[in-house]
Every structure is written in structure tokens, then in C-alpha cells.
Amino acid sequence: MVEFLVIIDMKSYDEDIGYCGLSEIEAYKVYKSLKLKHKRVNIVKAKVEKTLIRNVEFIVNYKIIEIIK
């Protein structure tokens, strides 16, 4: 499924995902709040593969389609 991701420190060992969802507006809100704390924050559109473990979705893999900001 294609979703929006907000990624902190993309392409580094400490990479973290701040948001994963369908709303570009919500992704931008999270981006703005995280940009105050971290310098390297990106919004990307990606094909996300998730798995369900004990009724909680976990991101297994993602492939970036487009870097938005």
C-alpha cells in the first residue's frame, strides 16, 4: 500500500519513522513538529509492507517512491 512516511535521519543507523499513514496533511503536521527538534526530517511517499503481530501493525519494509520534502 502506498502511504506517507515522516522519516527522521533518513539513510542512517538511527533512522526513525515519526508517521506512517494515508493523510498528507497529518504527515506535514508531524513533519513541522519534528523539524523543531531534529534537523534531518523528510516526508516521503513510499510503498509500505506491514505485518500484524498480536493485533499491532509493524512496518517490515518500505520502498521510497517520491521524496516530498
Side-chain angles (χ1 to χ4, degrees):
M1 172 178 274
V2 176
E3 298 186 42
F4 293 97
L5 298 175
V6 177
I7 304 174
I8 303 165
D9 294 332
M10 189 165 70
K11 297 182 182 174
S12 73
Y13 182 73
D14 294 330
E15 183 176 279
D16 191 19
I17 296 176
Y19 174 78
C20 177
L22 297 173
S23 174
E24 188 173 2
I25 295 171
E26 287 297 319
Y28 188 71
K29 287 179 184 178
V30 172
Y31 169 82
K32 283 179 65 175
S33 68
L34 290 175
K35 192 69 174 172
L36 298 173
K37 299 175 188 173
H38 306 281
K39 292 183 181 179
R40 297 182 55 204
V41 180
N42 296 336
I43 298 176
V44 299
K45 187 185 279 189
K47 185 171 181 174
V48 180
E49 180 184 338
K50 296 180 182 179
T51 187
L52 195 65
I53 300 174
R54 294 189 183 198
N55 294 329
V56 178
E57 285 187 330
F58 288 94
I59 298 173
V60 176
N61 195 7
Y62 64 89
K63 181 176 170 100
I64 296 174
I65 298 170
E66 175 185 2
I67 297 175
I68 297 173
K69 195 163 192 167

